Amino acid sequence: MKPIREIEGRAYPLGLKNVDTDVIIPAPYLKTITRKGLGKGAFESIRAQPGNVFDDPEYAGANIVIAGDNFGCGSSREHAAWALADMGVEAVIAPSFSDIFSGNAFKNGILTVVLPQEAVDRLLEVAKTHPIAIDLDQQSVTTPFQDRFTFEIDPFRKYCLLNGLDEVGMTMARDVAISGYEQKMAAERPWL
């Protein structure tokens, strides 16, 4: 997983409430076990609508999604986080998230930022014409217009995202201790 410190760029001003995981990545795309290529199916039902933000050249390459309340509700499919990551999304800002989606996003290196509705409304407006910036270390979202919104994040999640550690990375960081334990057990209990 790549470390996250600052995320800056254009944002998709989605703003929709209750975007469930079936909207993020429809069921027909769940037949794969690879993370690659899912971005093309992301938000398929929204992309079917003329003038949608995901196909608007103004937002090409956007790495942030600004959404409405309860983003990621529905099923527990991890493919939703995979699809966002495959699209190049590094962060989602919303007033609230489904707990399961938030956990899946975190485990896949996507920052979920919870802000009050008023802050989200302001960011939706700014995102139509200007980039926004997220500073994970300072736990803030800023705009070119001097807006500054702070957010809370679980300290463990913050540590992992800042250091690019997923579950495998955390285990590998303990390689010396694990190897030492295995050697000790092999000496003490050779029958194992």
Side-chain angles (χ1 to χ4, degrees):
M1 210 164 69
K2 119 182 159 176
I4 296 175
R5 290 221 176 274
E6 296 177 353
I7 300 169
E8 185 171 354
R10 292 303 301 269
Y12 295 109
L14 181 60
L16 297 175
K17 294 181 179 183
N18 301 313
V19 173
D20 66 30
T21 53
D22 194 48
V23 171
I24 298 170
I25 187 70
Y29 293 94
L30 303 182
K31 297 175 185 170
T32 182
I33 56 170
T34 181
R35 300 171 190 213
K36 300 290 182 200
L38 287 174
K40 70 179 181 278
F43 300 103
E44 184 177 70
S45 62
I46 294 173
R47 284 184 157 151
Q49 301 168 16
N52 72 81
V53 297
F54 296 108
D55 292 329
D56 186 333
E58 180 76 19
Y59 306 107
N63 58 346
I64 302 166
V65 174
I66 303 173
D69 224 6
N70 199 27
F71 187 82
C73 58
S75 72
S76 61
R77 63 183 73 163
E78 189 174 18
H79 290 69
W82 294 357
L84 288 170
D86 195 53
M87 286 177 60
V89 172
E90 299 175 82
V92 181
I93 301 170
S96 67
F97 294 91
S98 155
D99 287 343
I100 293 172
F101 172 80
S102 183
N104 285 339
F106 158 67
K107 289 178 181 182
N108 286 279
I110 299 171
L111 175 62
T112 54
V113 176
V114 175
L115 290 175
Q117 186 64 55
E118 301 78 38
V120 171
D121 290 342
R122 172 65 178 151
L123 292 171
L124 284 167
E125 192 61 35
V126 171
K128 291 177 184 174
T129 55
H130 290 80
I132 63 171
I134 303 169
D135 185 325
L136 178 56
D137 197 41
Q138 297 299 311
Q139 295 178 213
S140 66
V141 179
T142 57
T143 73
F145 305 104
Q146 305 307 309
D147 298 297
R148 185 175 190 277
F149 307 106
T150 59
F151 60 91
E152 296 297 317
I153 184 168
D154 174 79
F156 175 74
R157 286 187 177 188
K158 180 179 178 179
Y159 172 81
C160 290
L161 291 170
L162 283 170
N163 293 288
L165 296 173
D166 59 9
E167 292 165 335
V168 172
M170 290 176 5
T171 301
M172 295 306 292
R174 306 275 308 161
D175 183 48
V176 172
I178 292 168
S179 294
Y181 175 81
E182 288 175 342
Q183 289 174 359
K184 179 182 171 192
M185 286 295 103
E188 290 178 6
R189 299 178 183 168
W191 60 89
L192 291 179

